[in-house]
Amino acid sequence: MRKTSGLINYVLLVIIVLLLLAGGYYLYDKYGSRSINPEDALPASTIAYAVIDRPGALVRDLSEDNAIWFDLFSAEGTGSFLEDLVKADSMLSADGFSELLDEGRVFLVLAGDSAGPETCLMFNWPYGVSESRIGITFSEMAETKLRRSPARFGYIDGFTLSDSSGAVAHYFIHKGLCVIGNAERIMGDCAGRIDSREPLPFDRLYRKVAATAGRNVNANIYINFSRLPQLSGYIFNPSFMEGRQLLPAFAAWSEIDLLIKNDELLMNGYTEAADSLSHFLSLFRMQEPQKIEITRILPYNTYLLLDIGFDKFGDFHRDYAAFMDREEVFPEREGRLSDLKARFGSRLEEYMTSWVGKEMALAVINPHLNDAGPNTFLAVHAADIDQAMRYLGELSSSQYTTQYRDYTIRRITIPDLVSLVYGRMFSGIEHNYYARIEDYIVFANSSASLENFINIFLSGKTLKQNENFKQFTDNVSDRSNIFCYFNIRNAAGMLPGMLKGPLGDFFRDNHALASNFEAVAVQFKALNNMFFTSLYVRHNPDYIQEDLSIWKAYLDAPVYGQPYFVKDHRTNDLMIVAFDTLNNMYLIDHDGNIAWKLNIGERVISDVHTVDFYKNGKIQYLFNTENRIYLIDLLGRDVEGYPVILRKKATNGLAVFDYDNNRDYRIMLALDDNRVYNFDIRGKKVDGWKDPLSKARVGRPVQHLREGGRDYIVITDSEGNVKITDRRGNARINLKDDFVNGLHSEFYVNETNSKGILLTTDAEGTLTYIKANGRIETTDFGDFSREHYFLYEDFDNRGGKDFIFLDGNKLTVYDRFKNVMFAWEFENEIRSTPVIIPVSAREKIIGIVSGATGKIYLFDRQGNLLSTPDHVGKTQLLIGSIRRDGQLNMIVGSGNTIYNYYFR
């Protein structure tokens, strides 16, 4: 029996050992050191992936105290996702996942094929945790019980979790690796990679950058550049990508270490490219990184900058041409360039390249304007600027040579020259206008664009002097081979139009969030036989608002009314008169200095008019308050006999008429007895004037019009009643029909037809013609409110007057045939008169100021918006040449500040 008992014990012991070995092998196979590395399951379609160490600890750290997290948490679209992350961390930490969350790592993968981009999550499954935990967690997150059904991905069995609307997620656990994704095809690709063990694209280069991965960082990010062109199709709207492409064959792989700070994302690492010319980045392998100098000439409002640096441009140019040909980036280039050389000379390419120095950059400014063409510039550093000007002069057309503020602007009329010589990435320049600015040649699409560039440069408002850019670039190397800068904040309004699908919707719904992220910069520079790579994003809600002003003049209190141009008769320059709410009057010179300040004692209610009191060429400034008429000279002194004290309170601003241009002035002013009085320049009542009486208070200045040798004095009271008199105040036209003038509609001499002598609009915005016999005819342009504004001007400079209506938040410009020339809807109601500003002999613009928002709107005759949010102001606009040198200035007030902008 003992023998039998011992045998049984022996057999049982063997069985137990075998079971333990079998169980151990199963567990070892499923959860042990033979677990599959997530890297070996990355699908071949991987675009990028991030390896996140200690994911739970990272979520907890960020959610407790991080400005970027809090900003994203409050945004529509990301807030709920971040809330789910916090919830998931809390659930899983209490259910066996604490070691993975606090000490482990997860792979977050972005992959894509022709069907679009998808994401999946990979990690090694924690030992001892039930596989059913996935379904439970997803059900708790969704707050509904999910159905788990078997699924097969390639050769691996897994499961699909679904609710009543369909699949929520897919997952499998295989040899200790858990893969969770939202697309079956990507799950299948992961399984296929495990099965095939095929290396990743450019595997040798991938391994090389992977070896540089840093420790003690928030994440290691890997980017597969071969997939980026396809990714652009997922991200950008087709309309934005038309004529553009993300440079194909840029590089192989990048590994970038991510550090998340309170207000910054810092990413540094290395990128690798093939040694041959099959990758664009390889062109810089033997090129020394260069100092970024171009910011000293670029406009301060540059929002997109691509800067290329090299120490041997000839080698770069040769290699870039070979790259474009080999990779079919610009396959037609060689043939077209040969044709141009045959037509314009064999040295054409030499004339464009032999003088190039160490840097060239493409820059786009004015992000608030829809048309990028006029705002795109190519700046090329010249090793020999004199040679550059000689060679380019050989190619230029004398027909397009102009002088602008000591700068010569020329044009090369050879089509597509810039892109054919310098490469496809500079294809934004099509018309080849250029000028020398310091040791750079700046190309643009028009002479006007270069004039704008020159104005900003001369004002000192360069990108290098932009306070925000200076602070931003404290975290950016000043040397690189490739430097790309994008100002997110200034371009936030463009992002919804650039991006497609959910991304576009996100930025449309979260404009304020985008504005809190100042900018992003990406750099590549040759280093250690690879390419050091950095990416920097700054979160900066306290962005310093830059403006384009040349100078600012500060008053003691907020500006009252509007500024006025007055002439300095000693120099013929323009000066500026302004008033503040403390009733101070200021004279500001052309440099923004306050020449003098004078307290008037009460509010000015008129415009400032310039007169020559002594008829000797010296100018004085005439205006009125309720109780006095003032005449102030250039030195801030009262002219003799002034101020004139009124016997009753004035109800309107005075009007000044010089009927025969002989400086025999007449001053028309309404007092609170509803009569209009006529004074000479010394403030004495004019004999023979009838003091016409109105039915109600006269609040508008009196108008003077002349037609057919006759004078028409137009008096309009606050109820819209109109009197039209002659020079002596006798009735010139007695209106036969009931007529109520529009509140903001002046009278004009009719130059459109023969329906009447004068025209204006009535209270409903109906265009009204007034005949000599007092009869009226009307033309209907649509429905307008009583608050509409009306102007009658030859806006398009084509010889016929146009009809301009501003009503509420809508501006509409009609030609003489009632065709709409353009219309514009503002974001808020406008309550100020539009002004027509002649900016040249051939061009006028419409200027409108929103008092509510402080925005300035300037429109050309095509309805293009010429101003940007960098132009601020709340008063009426003045545009003129302060120094009488042809350069136009725009003067406007806001708060207690008078701003002077270069116009264009």
Side-chain angles (χ1 to χ4, degrees), residues 235-464:
I235 295 176
F236 296 104
N237 275 322
S239 57
F240 175 77
M241 289 303 296
E242 186 177 355
R244 298 182 175 95
Q245 59 176 337
L246 283 182
L247 189 66
F250 178 79
W253 283 88
S254 280
E255 187 286 322
I256 301 174
D257 302 329
L258 169 65
L259 281 174
I260 304 174
K261 295 192 173 183
N262 184 57
D263 56 359
E264 297 172 316
L265 300 179
L266 298 171
M267 289 167 263
N268 295 294
Y270 282 90
T271 299
E272 255 298 22
D275 290 332
S276 66
L277 297 181
S278 59
H279 285 148
F280 178 74
L281 198 56
S282 65
L283 308 183
F284 298 92
R285 196 173 296 278
M286 303 305 294
Q287 299 280 353
E288 285 290 326
Q290 297 300 306
K291 190 170 184 179
I292 302 167
E293 296 276 8
I294 206 161
T295 56
R296 62 185 163 88
I297 70 161
L298 291 180
Y300 79 104
N301 55 353
T302 297
Y303 78 93
L304 179 61
L305 170 62
L306 173 62
D307 183 84
I308 308 295
F310 30 66
D311 65 326
K312 300 180 287 291
F313 175 74
D315 292 350
F316 171 78
H317 181 64
R318 180 198 63 226
D319 293 344
Y320 185 30
F323 167 80
M324 287 188 288
D325 183 57
R326 173 173 174 167
E327 296 301 315
E328 297 187 347
V329 175
F330 201 170
E332 70 275 22
R333 176 182 178 273
E334 280 300 323
R336 292 177 60 188
L337 191 55
S338 295
D339 290 343
L340 290 184
K341 288 180 181 179
R343 291 174 57 195
F344 299 102
S346 60
R347 299 184 66 188
L348 174 67
E349 193 169 5
E350 176 190 348
Y351 283 175
M352 292 287 290
T353 60
S354 61
W355 48 266
V356 175
K358 298 182 180 299
E359 184 182 22
M360 60 197 311
L362 192 70
V364 188
I365 71 171
N366 286 333
H368 319 287
L369 304 184
N370 294 326
D371 189 359
N375 296 293
T376 299
F377 302 90
L378 170 63
V380 184
H381 176 253
D384 185 337
I385 191 66
D386 293 327
Q387 183 191 64
M389 293 300 289
R390 285 197 310 272
Y391 278 6
L392 294 176
E394 291 288 328
L395 302 175
S396 303
S397 168
S398 59
Q399 179 183 354
Y400 293 98
T401 299
T402 59
Q403 290 296 127
Y404 182 75
R405 304 188 70 192
D406 297 327
Y407 289 82
T408 302
I409 298 175
R410 294 189 173 96
R411 182 187 178 191
I412 303 171
T413 56
I414 302 171
D416 300 322
L417 180 64
V418 166
S419 60
L420 286 171
V421 172
Y422 295 137
R424 169 67 44 96
M425 71 176 114
F426 302 116
S427 57
I429 304 299
E430 299 176 356
H431 301 299
N432 311 328
Y433 288 86
Y434 71 91
R436 170 188 173 176
I437 299 180
E438 292 194 347
D439 53 347
Y440 287 87
I441 300 296
V442 179
F443 292 92
N445 284 310
S446 71
S447 180
S449 295
L450 280 174
E451 290 173 10
N452 185 35
F453 192 106
I454 291 166
N455 287 339
I456 297 174
F457 173 71
L458 291 177
S459 74
K461 296 289 185 177
T462 61
L463 191 59
K464 186 176 182 178

Side-chain angles (χ1 to χ4, degrees), residues 121-196:
L121 190 69
M122 300 179 182
F123 56 89
N124 290 118
W125 189 256
Y127 176 75
V129 178
S130 170
E131 295 178 11
S132 63
R133 181 67 252 180
I134 295 178
I136 295 170
T137 301
F138 269 94
S139 294
E140 290 175 346
M141 298 290 292
E143 298 182 348
T144 183
K145 185 171 179 59
L146 300 178
R147 184 175 65 258
R148 188 176 80 152
S149 53
R152 190 165 180 83
F153 310 105
Y155 77 103
I156 298 177
D157 290 327
F159 297 93
T160 295
L161 300 171
S162 56
D163 59 14
S164 58
S165 61
V168 172
H170 311 278
Y171 73 92
F172 66 74
I173 301 174
H174 180 72
K175 293 188 177 182
L177 176 68
C178 178
V179 180
I180 305 172
N182 56 356
E184 286 186 73
R185 68 183 191 282
I186 301 300
M187 298 291 293
D189 288 347
C190 294
R193 176 89 198 294
I194 294 171
D195 184 36
S196 69

Side-chain angles (χ1 to χ4, degrees), residues 868-882:
T868 81
D870 299 326
H871 294 103
V872 296
K874 292 192 173 184
T875 69
Q876 193 61 277
L877 299 173
L878 297 176
I879 291 185
S881 180
I882 288 182

